[in-house]
Amino acid sequence: MKENNYPIEIEIDDTLTDSFKVIASAVPFFGAPVIELMNMLVIPKLQQRRDSWLQELGERVKKLEEEGKINYEKLQKDDVFIDIAMKVTEVAIKTHQKEKLDALRNALINTSLNYPSIDISLKQIFINYIDIFTVWHIKLLGLFNNPKIYEQQFQHIYSSSLIEIIEGVYPKLKGKSDLYKSICKDLYSKDLINTESISAMMTKDGLFVRRTTNIGLLFLQFIKEN
């Protein structure tokens, strides 16, 4: 059987490290020793994140080909896959949060599988969302997509607002209405959910209706592990 050689690393632009050096050198009170200190503190971590990310991606792609789900040689020639690989890698280096890294990895794997089948422009928009969103954006969007799975948790409710559902499902958000209201406004403004106000009172049936738009559903499919 022919053995394929899978790259452990790929060459990528050191955009983040170069940008950091330029910004540091442009600040008047940064002397050369200070710049070198910050380079020593920040850049090794960025390189470590990059290497870890690429290692994991390489292993996932190898597993998919062994399962017969993708063709490695075809992926090398797939410009959409390469574009998305570069974009998710750039974003991945900027975060340590597992939920966002999982979303980015799933986005690339789903691109290799062509699932869901959507335009590259929309995929790039979705990756930008992962970049600028918090983990709570992703969690709340998931909640709004299928609130019915939590209905048994709220049997005592006859009418209420989505605030009670949000704080009931995610107790860590209790007392942080400014945070999650801002997040919900973000999701609405980006046409990911169809509900502008989460404070409105509604019946129990109304509370557990799916609130994601078609775009919101596509985004969740794009970042879901398959």
Side-chain angles (χ1 to χ4, degrees):
M1 180 181 296
K2 179 181 175 183
E3 182 177 348
N4 289 310
N5 294 318
Y6 298 89
I8 298 302
E9 295 187 5
I10 60 173
E11 292 295 326
I12 65 172
D13 293 335
D14 291 322
T15 306
L16 290 175
T17 56
D18 289 344
S19 298
F20 176 79
K21 292 176 183 177
V22 170
I23 292 170
S25 63
V27 179
F29 59 80
F30 267 34
V34 177
I35 294 173
E36 290 307 314
L37 171 62
M38 295 306 293
N39 287 341
M40 180 181 69
L41 291 174
V42 176
I43 291 177
K45 190 64 176 179
L46 294 180
Q47 292 170 338
Q48 179 186 349
R49 287 181 180 182
R50 179 191 63 183
D51 293 346
S52 176
W53 168 255
L54 293 175
Q55 175 74 32
E56 182 180 356
L57 281 183
E59 291 171 355
R60 290 294 298 273
V61 170
K62 180 178 180 180
K63 185 173 184 292
L64 285 174
E65 193 189 40
E66 289 172 346
E67 294 172 350
K69 295 180 179 178
I70 61 170
N71 181 285
Y72 181 67
E73 293 181 356
K74 285 184 179 179
L75 278 187
Q76 286 183 307
K77 301 173 184 177
D78 186 337
D79 286 331
V80 172
F81 176 79
I82 299 303
D83 287 356
I84 298 301
M86 298 297 289
K87 193 165 183 65
V88 296
T89 297
E90 178 185 345
V91 176
I93 294 171
K94 295 190 288 183
T95 184
H96 72 283
Q97 294 177 299
K98 182 180 182 301
E99 293 90 345
K100 295 183 74 167
L101 291 171
D102 287 345
L104 291 165
R105 182 189 64 248
N106 294 338
L108 182 60
I109 296 303
N110 287 333
T111 295
S112 74
L113 299 171
N114 196 32
Y115 176 84
S117 182
I118 57 177
D119 186 83
I120 184 174
S121 297
L122 193 54
K123 290 179 180 180
Q124 291 171 333
I125 290 171
F126 286 166
I127 294 168
N128 285 336
Y129 286 171
I130 300 172
D131 188 15
I132 63 175
F133 280 174
T134 67
V135 170
W136 284 116
H137 281 77
I138 297 173
K139 288 184 175 181
L140 288 179
L141 185 61
L143 168 61
F144 291 139
N145 187 60
N146 191 12
K148 203 158 185 67
I149 62 174
Y150 300 101
E151 189 171 5
Q152 291 298 316
Q153 185 176 332
F154 299 93
Q155 290 184 346
H156 63 286
I157 290 179
Y158 294 96
S159 67
S160 187
S161 71
L162 291 171
I163 290 176
E164 185 169 356
I165 306 302
I166 291 171
E167 293 190 354
V169 174
Y170 295 114
K172 287 184 178 180
L173 289 178
K174 285 184 178 179
K176 298 180 180 178
S177 61
D178 288 346
L179 171 62
Y180 61 74
K181 284 182 179 179
S182 177
I183 288 171
C184 292
K185 286 180 181 178
D186 273 352
L187 296 176
Y188 179 76
S189 69
K190 291 176 171 55
D191 196 31
L192 298 175
I193 62 174
N194 56 23
T195 300
E196 184 173 9
S197 173
I198 61 172
S199 302
M201 297 297 292
M202 58 189 73
T203 65
K204 183 175 182 178
D205 288 341
L207 290 171
F208 297 100
V209 171
R210 192 189 103 186
R211 288 186 152 72
T212 48
T213 62
N214 289 336
I215 294 293
L217 181 58
L218 278 176
F219 175 72
L220 289 173
Q221 290 175 341
F222 186 55
I223 65 172
K224 180 182 177 181
E225 183 173 359
N226 290 295

